[in-house]
Amino acid sequence: MSKFWSDFVQELKPYVPGEQPKDGEYIKLNTNESPFDPSPVVIDAIRQEVEENLRLYPDPESDRLREVIGRYYDIPADFVFPGNGSDEVLAHLFHALFKHKGKKILFPDITYSFYRVYAKLYDLDFEAVALNSQFEIDINDYINASSEEVCGIIFPNPNAPTGIAVSLEQIEQLLQAQPDIVVAIDEAYVDFGADSAVSLLEKYDNLIVLQTLSKSRSLAGLRVGFAMAQPHLLQALVRVKNSFNSYPLDRLAQVGAIAAFEDDAYFEQTRQEIITSREFVSQELAGLGFVVLPSKTNFVFVSHPRIDAAVLSAQLRQHLVLVRHFDQSRISQYLRITIGTRKQCEVLIKTLSEILTSTNIGSE
């Protein structure tokens, strides 16, 4: 701390991302990155942009990218708001749509921890709604909220870190029940098996959907995310963005993102490989005695009834395998394990089997 800090900075508890080791020895299954390189089409587009246009400012509104995303999802381009990663888009959303005096926002108690960080950063009242005993979002908890008290609802679908999805029918039930509350669906992992709410955008003027290119399109290092909603909602985000940074997406990010959407065959191939490997890992872990929550993401959320999760995480690290442990109420005995390549998954299973055997823990 410093005497020069603004008062509110001393109270902030920033988001803590997963460990990014400085050496390359580890099998890195802790940060939900794709195990695959980006499409070669993406690399070529970025290389060409480096050679030709870096002296020029980027398009401040990313118009070509918005058009490409609009065509991909069959929505108008003015339904798209790109940002420097979905975290930046979330920040603008919280600031632009969730700050209403005398009202609060709702999100799950076990979910993406940046929601709580942003709520405190922008001094928003919030309520963390408990997941049910199966770690599922109970949509009725949000359907029954009062619009006199609540201005916004946000949750990931599928949820993180649990990996469990709610159905599109449930989301529509919520939208029908709450026309006066902004409903934000964070679809960072939707490409791995859940149903997107994009198809509902033109029908519901209070819906905003967020996605990212970090997971299923192998571009975590490029930082591209976007929101989709009717223009009257997105104009609030534009105002906040242009009061903060009028050039959020650089030229390399824009051309890389456009190329990623254009190479749909590569996207389908790599996401299907991750889904197949996820099912393999889930079955193998169950065979080792783990409780494996049903995942629609590129990770699994698991616990073992006979070994402490923190201990298991530390032992995996000793074997150069990184997974994510959350020292948090209700989920302290769970590990989140990213789906890697098939070879990495096989090493994970072999290592876990050896650890369990060495500690005299069987699969029964």
Side-chain angles (χ1 to χ4, degrees):
M1 294 186 181
S2 166
K3 65 181 181 180
F4 299 109
W5 286 14
S6 298
D7 291 341
F8 84 99
V9 174
Q10 301 182 37
E11 306 300 322
L12 292 179
K13 295 182 180 179
Y15 173 76
V16 179
E19 179 186 359
Q20 296 283 4
K22 301 302 181 183
D23 57 70
E25 295 181 3
Y26 294 93
I27 293 178
K28 208 166 158 295
L29 306 179
N30 65 324
T31 50
N32 295 345
E33 295 147 322
S34 173
F36 301 109
D37 291 332
S39 159
V41 177
V42 172
I43 303 302
D44 288 343
I46 292 174
R47 185 177 292 115
Q48 181 176 346
E49 193 71 12
V50 167
E51 294 172 352
E52 297 179 359
N53 291 317
L54 282 190
R55 65 185 179 82
L56 302 173
Y57 279 112
D59 175 2
E61 304 304 330
S62 304
D63 285 337
R64 185 167 167 235
L65 175 57
R66 291 168 61 222
E67 290 170 2
V68 168
I69 294 172
R71 283 198 303 271
Y72 188 88
Y73 289 105
D74 195 24
I75 56 176
D78 61 0
F79 274 51
V80 181
F81 174 88
N84 186 26
S86 59
D87 287 335
E88 181 184 77
V89 177
L90 278 168
H92 293 333
L93 184 158
F94 271 64
H95 210 177
L97 299 176
F98 285 172
K99 195 172 179 65
H100 292 263
K101 188 174 182 180
K103 292 190 176 184
K104 62 186 176 182
I105 61 172
L106 306 180
F107 51 76
D109 65 333
I110 300 170
T111 195
Y112 187 32
S113 56
F114 232 138
Y115 300 161
R116 190 181 296 264
V117 172
Y118 283 142
K120 292 190 175 183
L121 175 63
Y122 296 122
D123 194 25
L124 309 179
D125 288 333
F126 67 91
E127 179 182 342
V129 180
L131 301 181
N132 68 18
S133 61
Q134 303 301 310
F135 292 112
E136 298 166 332
I137 292 172
D138 186 341
I139 209 71
N140 290 315
D141 291 335
Y142 302 91
I143 286 175
N144 294 327
S146 168
S147 61
E148 297 296 317
E149 301 174 356
V150 175
C151 64
I153 294 168
I154 184 168
F155 56 81
N157 192 41
N159 194 18
T162 64
I164 300 175
V166 301
S167 69
L168 188 60
E169 291 74 19
Q170 289 175 306
I171 291 172
E172 185 158 24
Q173 288 172 14
L174 173 60
L175 291 165
Q176 290 172 346
Q178 298 290 11
D180 298 319
I181 296 176
V182 173
V183 176
I185 308 298
D186 186 350
E187 295 186 344
Y189 301 98
V190 73
D191 291 326
F192 300 107
D195 294 324
S196 175
V198 170
S199 62
L200 302 176
L201 286 172
E202 297 195 72
K203 188 175 180 181
Y204 296 98
D205 66 358
N206 61 325
L207 171 64
I208 185 164
V209 176
L210 299 99
Q211 291 193 11
T212 176
L213 276 68
S214 294
K215 319 298 182 185
S216 60
R217 297 182 190 272
S218 306
L219 291 175
L222 205 60
R223 311 309 302 132
V224 179
F226 53 99
M228 295 173 283
Q230 293 188 20
H232 71 96
L233 285 182
L234 296 186
Q235 280 304 308
L237 276 66
V238 171
R239 284 191 174 204
V240 170
K241 184 265 289 187
N242 287 339
S243 301
F244 176 74
N245 177 10
S246 58
Y247 293 101
L249 273 183
D250 64 44
R251 283 185 166 272
L252 304 187
Q254 291 187 37
V255 299
I258 289 167
F261 277 105
E262 290 176 341
D263 193 356
D264 202 43
Y266 186 85
F267 161 72
E268 287 292 342
Q269 174 194 335
T270 53
R271 83 178 184 104
Q272 286 297 335
E273 288 189 40
I274 291 171
I275 291 170
T276 300
S277 293
R278 181 188 69 208
E279 299 314 305
F280 164 75
V281 168
S282 297
Q283 292 174 9
E284 293 294 315
L285 289 175
L288 292 175
F290 283 87
V291 175
V292 184
L293 298 190
S295 175
K296 295 293 186 181
T297 63
N298 68 337
F299 61 84
V300 290
F301 202 54
V302 305
S303 67
H304 198 288
R306 298 178 61 190
I307 186 168
D308 182 80
V311 171
L312 186 54
S313 176
Q315 291 185 353
L316 281 169
R317 198 180 197 287
Q318 291 175 5
H319 288 79
L320 302 181
V321 178
L322 297 181
V323 298
R324 189 80 187 266
H325 174 248
F326 297 89
D327 187 12
Q328 180 181 335
S329 176
R330 297 185 68 193
I331 59 171
S332 61
Q333 290 306 310
Y334 281 80
L335 298 176
R336 192 194 69 190
I337 304 174
T338 304
I339 303 302
T341 63
R342 183 59 174 250
K343 182 178 180 180
Q344 289 174 330
C345 292
E346 289 171 351
V347 171
L348 167 73
I349 298 303
K350 182 175 183 290
T351 304
L352 284 170
S353 180
E354 291 173 353
I355 291 172
L356 294 176
T357 299
S358 68
T359 53
N360 297 314
I361 295 175
S363 60
E364 65 276 353

